[in-house]
């Protein structure tokens, strides 16, 4: 290369003339293997410190590489939580819980109810403490042995049913409720685990079947099933129990009924005798205070014992006063005459021609005792003229007739404290013929107590007071009730009822000293849509006293039979009228009404001032007893 000097280093060549190197004495031979290499021991691994920040980033970081780890961790956490819950539930399900058992027991024990007393404080229904035996099936070791031993002490139990209950997967089952002290002691001595006792309330009725249809009854849980008992639950008693309130008879005020048990006992006694005497299918009677609407006595036969109400399920064991609906017969003529007077279509001096039968559609209306002449308004009542009643109703008209009966509460369901009631049976098509027949009590069926309410309004000054089975407070004012007829019409009806007791069909109930007014009612029964011959439903109503009314008596009988000494007559005067007369004589003194030796000389002063002086004059003659 121009301008540069190239320097070449000579290659290394051995020096043959130089002496050979001498090895030291302790040197190993040239052919000897090299000594083993000394390997240093491994160093101890460095301890890595936990980095909390990195752990958080690994769990909550957003990098995709961390997703799998987070999913596995979350799944493991939820799995562990699930296993914890399942294990806890299994533990609770297999381990008896005293608190849970106590709660189930408290819910199963029958609740307390208030005492029921009559208007004078006499006890009608109360709770008593009884002992019941229960079991916790989970605690019973040998269920077959337990079944055998318990049924030996309680032989009325079905062994198969008891074994099934003891095998149930429940924490609480009843073995038997209301056991005797000796049975309790015998079961206690068995020493069976899981078997215990609970005190609970049992409803008792110290008067047996007396006023059963009014009181009603309860089930084994002490819940009202019928009558006043069911009414009390509907007034909030069951709601308080459901809400968990621990009620006892000490903090529940007694419930006072309107009934007088002395009068009710007499009523039932007379009805029992009457059903036997007249071979009746059923019978009922009631007494109402016409100025307050209080039902002072009420009985319906057949009845039952509320403490053992198996007979309550029988078809004929209904409350004939509120559930049974019947055609009330000639007692409805009181409403017809009141309607004619109130409308102005008639007066006490009005005369109606009843000399011949009255055509009604394709049939004719006849009188039971034809008079073949014109009758005054009072005579239509005392002779119980169907023709006269039908003509009076037609004078008012179909619409006026319907309006009056509706005003008197006869066309709608009457509701009282008793849950058991029935709606009236009305004509499918209310025609002129319907008005004619309903005028004398055929073609419209109502509950007897419903008809009684209307008649009470006719005699108490015209106030329609709904009947009640609860005692009214002192100072009840009837003028707050609907005023359905005038005082003039009311006094006219009292006069006509009194006249009928003297000379008409109500003579059998004209008990001396009580100034009775009354009316009979005999209706052929409807069987399979047709009126049946020789099957009647009879009614008798009587007001005591007729000049200043206090009480209205009513007796009804279903299919009474005529007696030989009565000529075989089965009409109301001979059965329901007979019973009502006995009730007036027996019960009225118990209610504080003594017989009067001197009857009033001017019992109907308003009529006398209006020119009807004959209303205060004693009648001379009258018709028969039908």
């Amino acid at each position: 290369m121009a301008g540069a000097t190239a320097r070449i280093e000579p290659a290394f060549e051995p020096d043959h003339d130089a002496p050979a190197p001498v090895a030291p004495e302790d040197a190993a031979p040239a052919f000897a293997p090299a000594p083993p290499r000394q390997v240093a021991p491994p160093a101890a691994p460095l301890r890595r410190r936990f980095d909390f920040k990195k752990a958080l980033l690994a769990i909550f970081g957003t990098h995709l590489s961390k997703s799998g780890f987070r999913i596995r961790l979350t799944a493991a956490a939820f799995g562990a939580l699930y296993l914890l819950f399942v294990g806890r539930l299994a533990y609770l399900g297999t381990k008896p819980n005293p608190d849970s058992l106590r709660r189930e027991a408290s819910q199963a024990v029958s609740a307390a109810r208030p005492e029921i007393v009559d208007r004078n404080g006499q006890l009608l229904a109360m709770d008593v403490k009884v002992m019941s035996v229960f079991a916790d099936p989970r605690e019973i070791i040998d269920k077959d042995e337990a079944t055998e031993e318990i049924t030996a002490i309680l032989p009325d139990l079905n062994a198969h049913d008891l074994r099934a209950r003891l095998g149930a997967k429940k924490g609480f089952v009843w073995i038997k409720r209301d056991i005797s002290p000796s049975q309790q002691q015998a079961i206690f001595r068995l020493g069976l685990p899981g078997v215990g006792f609970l005190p609970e309330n049992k409803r008792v009725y110290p008067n047996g079947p007396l006023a059963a249809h009014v009181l009603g009854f309860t089930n084994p849980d002490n819940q009202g099933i019928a009558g006043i008992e069911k009414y009390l639950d509907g007034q909030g008693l069951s709601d308080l129990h459901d809400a968990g309130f621990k009620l006892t008879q000490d903090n529940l005020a007694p419930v006072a009924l309107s009934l007088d048990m002395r009068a009710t006992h007499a009523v039932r006694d007379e009805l029992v005798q009457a059903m036997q005497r007249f071979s009746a299918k059923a019978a009922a009677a009631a007494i109402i205070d016409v100025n307050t609407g209080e039902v002072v006595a009420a009985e319906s036969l057949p009845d039952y014992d509320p403490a053992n109400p198996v007979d309550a399920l029988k078809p004929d064991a209904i409350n004939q006063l509120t559930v049974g609906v019947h055609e009330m017969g000639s007692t409805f003529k009181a409403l017809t005459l009141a309607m004619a007077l109130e409308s102005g279509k008639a007066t006490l001096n009005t005369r109606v021609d009843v000399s011949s039968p009255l055509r009604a559609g394709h049939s004719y209306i006849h009188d039971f005792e034809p008079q073949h002449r014109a009758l005054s308004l009072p005579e239509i009542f005392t002779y119980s003229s169907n023709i006269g009643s039908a003509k009076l109703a037609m004078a008012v008209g179909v619409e006026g007739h319907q309006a009056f009966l509706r005003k008197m509460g006869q066309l709608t369901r009457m509701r009282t404290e008793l849950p058991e009631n029935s709606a009236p049976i009305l004509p499918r098509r209310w025609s002129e013929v319907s008005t004619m027949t309903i005028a004398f009590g055929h073609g419209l069926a109502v509950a007897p107590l419903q008809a009684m309410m209307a008649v009470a309004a006719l005699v108490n000054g015209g106030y329609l007071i709904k009947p009640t089975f609860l005692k009214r407070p002192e100072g009840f004012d009837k003028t707050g009730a609907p005023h359905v007829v005038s005082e003039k019409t009311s006094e006219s009806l009292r006069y006509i009822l009194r006249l009928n007791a003297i000379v008409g069909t109500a003579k059998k109930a004209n008990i001396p000293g009580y100034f009775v007014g009354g009316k009979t009612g005999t209706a052929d029964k409807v069987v399979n849509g047709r009126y049946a011959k020789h099957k009647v439903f009879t009614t008798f109503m009587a007001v005591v006293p007729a000049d200043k009314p206090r009480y209205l008596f009513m007796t009804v009988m279903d299919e009474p039979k005529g007696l030989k000494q009565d000529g075989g007559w089965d009409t109301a005067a001979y059965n329901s009228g007979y019973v009502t007369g006995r009730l007036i004589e027996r019960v009225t003194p118990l209610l504080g009404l003594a017989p009067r030796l001197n009857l009033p000389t001017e019992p109907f002063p308003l009529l006398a001032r209006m020119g009807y002086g004959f209303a205060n004059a004693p009648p001379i003659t009258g018709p028969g007893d039908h």
Side-chain angles (χ1 to χ4, degrees):
M1 176 181 267
T5 301
R7 185 183 180 197
I8 301 173
E9 297 289 339
F12 176 75
E13 292 182 3
D15 188 358
H16 297 287
D17 295 330
V22 179
E25 292 181 358
D26 57 349
F31 58 84
R37 185 178 181 183
Q38 297 295 324
V39 180
L46 295 176
R47 296 184 62 183
R48 303 180 66 179
R49 298 175 60 188
F50 177 76
D51 194 331
F52 186 73
K53 181 178 181 181
K54 290 182 178 181
L56 291 177
L57 290 175
I59 298 175
F60 299 104
T62 58
H63 198 278
L64 292 177
S65 62
K66 307 299 182 180
S67 299
F69 172 74
R70 289 198 301 270
I71 291 173
R72 289 191 296 272
L73 181 62
T74 304
F78 276 107
L81 188 62
Y82 174 76
L83 292 176
L84 178 64
F85 285 160
V86 170
R88 181 62 177 171
L89 289 175
Y91 171 76
L92 294 177
T94 57
K95 180 182 181 299
N97 186 345
D99 293 336
S100 175
L101 181 62
R102 192 178 301 110
R103 184 164 52 252
E104 291 183 56
S106 64
Q107 293 172 352
V109 170
S110 56
R113 304 181 65 83
E115 291 182 348
I116 301 178
V117 299
D118 81 338
R119 64 184 305 105
N120 300 312
Q122 296 297 313
L123 190 63
L124 304 180
M126 63 177 295
D127 285 347
V128 296
K129 288 294 183 181
V130 296
M131 197 62 68
S132 298
V133 57
F134 72 94
D136 180 355
R138 299 169 300 184
E139 288 286 305
I140 297 179
I141 300 173
D142 190 335
K143 296 177 173 54
D144 294 325
E145 180 183 2
T147 300
E148 182 179 352
E149 292 180 340
I150 291 174
T151 52
I153 299 172
L154 305 174
D156 54 329
L157 289 182
N158 184 288
H160 179 75
D161 292 342
L162 178 58
R163 179 61 181 82
R165 273 181 281 159
L166 296 183
K169 296 180 179 179
K170 296 181 178 180
F172 180 92
V173 294
W174 283 118
I175 294 178
K176 186 182 179 183
R177 308 177 80 165
D178 186 15
I179 61 174
S180 67
S182 60
Q183 290 172 332
Q184 180 189 359
Q185 288 297 322
I187 295 175
F188 178 77
R189 292 191 187 99
L190 295 177
L192 296 174
V195 176
F197 306 91
L198 282 175
E200 56 177 343
N201 299 292
K202 179 185 178 182
R203 202 64 163 170
V204 296
Y205 303 88
N207 299 293
L210 196 63
H213 287 290
V214 175
L215 291 173
F217 56 94
T218 62
N219 63 11
D221 293 323
N222 228 19
Q223 297 169 335
I225 299 299
I228 290 294
E229 296 282 25
K230 186 174 182 179
Y231 165 79
L232 293 178
D233 283 359
Q235 295 301 300
L237 180 63
S238 60
D239 293 336
L240 291 174
H241 289 309
D242 293 341
F245 287 92
K246 301 299 182 183
L247 303 179
T248 66
Q249 285 196 340
D250 294 335
N251 53 31
L252 289 171
V255 177
L257 301 188
S258 60
L259 298 181
D260 185 310
M261 293 315 295
R262 300 168 303 172
T264 303
H265 171 76
V267 167
R268 188 178 188 278
D269 184 52
E270 292 294 338
L271 287 180
V272 169
Q273 296 181 50
M275 284 188 66
Q276 296 174 351
R277 177 183 177 92
F278 299 106
S279 303
K281 182 179 178 181
I287 305 172
I288 282 184
D289 185 325
V290 299
N291 296 307
T292 65
E294 293 172 296
V295 180
V296 179
E299 278 290 348
S300 179
L301 300 179
D303 57 7
Y304 55 87
D305 186 349
N308 185 28
V310 291
D311 292 336
L313 302 177
K314 294 181 178 179
D316 57 347
I318 64 172
N319 188 348
Q320 294 288 344
L321 296 172
T322 61
V323 178
V325 289
H326 307 278
E327 294 182 354
M328 298 302 292
S330 294
T331 53
F332 250 51
K333 290 173 182 172
L335 295 175
T336 302
L337 266 65
M339 176 182 66
L341 291 169
E342 190 70 12
S343 67
K345 299 293 183 180
T347 68
L348 291 179
N349 291 325
T350 297
R351 303 185 72 82
V352 179
D353 182 15
V354 299
S355 58
S356 59
L358 176 64
R359 186 179 182 88
H362 300 290
S363 303
Y364 287 88
I365 296 174
H366 300 267
D367 282 344
F368 192 80
E369 293 182 355
Q371 297 302 302
H372 306 293
R373 62 181 178 86
L375 300 179
S376 66
L377 208 70
E379 286 179 319
I380 290 174
F381 200 75
T382 57
Y383 284 105
S384 199
S385 172
N386 296 335
I387 299 172
S389 300
K391 287 188 173 182
L392 289 173
M394 287 306 300
V396 176
V398 174
E399 292 184 359
H401 189 208
Q402 288 178 308
F404 184 79
L405 292 179
R406 184 174 293 106
K407 180 174 67 171
M408 301 301 295
Q410 301 304 292
L411 303 186
T412 57
R413 184 191 298 264
M414 184 192 70
R415 300 186 184 276
T416 66
E417 294 83 8
L418 301 188
E420 301 80 27
N421 55 71
S422 296
I425 301 176
L426 311 180
R428 293 181 179 178
R429 186 179 68 87
W430 197 303
S431 62
E432 290 187 352
V433 174
S434 301
T435 285
M436 291 181 185
T437 59
I438 292 172
F440 53 85
H442 287 70
L444 173 64
V446 300
L449 191 64
Q450 188 170 8
M452 199 177 184
M453 171 184 69
V455 175
L458 297 183
V459 300
N460 71 0
Y463 297 96
L464 187 69
I465 307 172
K466 186 173 72 171
T468 179
F469 290 90
L470 299 178
K471 185 178 181 180
R472 296 276 195 197
E474 293 293 335
F476 175 79
D477 185 6
K478 67 180 179 181
T479 60
H483 200 199
V484 290
V485 297
S486 65
E487 177 60 41
K488 172 186 173 182
T489 299
S490 178
E491 187 166 299
S492 298
L493 261 293
R494 295 201 300 270
Y495 156 66
I496 293 173
L497 287 166
R498 173 58 184 163
L499 180 67
N500 194 48
I502 301 174
V503 301
T505 60
K507 288 187 290 186
K508 290 188 178 297
N510 187 21
I511 305 302
Y514 289 106
F515 208 72
V516 178
K519 185 69 184 82
T520 56
T522 305
D524 293 330
K525 288 189 65 176
V526 177
V527 179
N528 298 325
R530 295 180 177 273
Y531 285 106
K533 293 183 179 180
H534 311 300
K535 288 186 177 182
V536 295
F537 186 86
T538 65
T539 308
F540 192 95
M541 292 196 194
V543 56
V544 180
D547 59 330
K548 295 179 180 179
R550 284 284 309 278
Y551 299 106
L552 180 65
F553 289 69
M554 179 185 68
T555 303
V556 298
M557 301 195 75
D558 189 5
E559 297 185 23
K561 306 299 186 295
L563 303 180
K564 183 177 180 180
Q565 60 266 34
D566 295 331
W569 292 108
D570 60 358
T571 50
Y574 294 97
N575 41 72
S576 292
Y578 165 82
V579 175
T580 305
R582 290 181 59 88
L583 287 176
I584 293 172
E585 190 172 19
R586 180 175 176 180
V587 173
T588 309
L590 298 176
L591 301 178
L593 284 180
R596 292 182 287 184
L597 299 178
N598 299 314
L599 296 181
T601 56
E602 193 178 68
F604 309 108
L606 180 59
L607 295 182
R609 291 196 298 271
M610 295 173 60
Y612 300 111
F614 59 83
N616 295 305
I620 301 175
T621 60
D625 295 325
H626 306 295

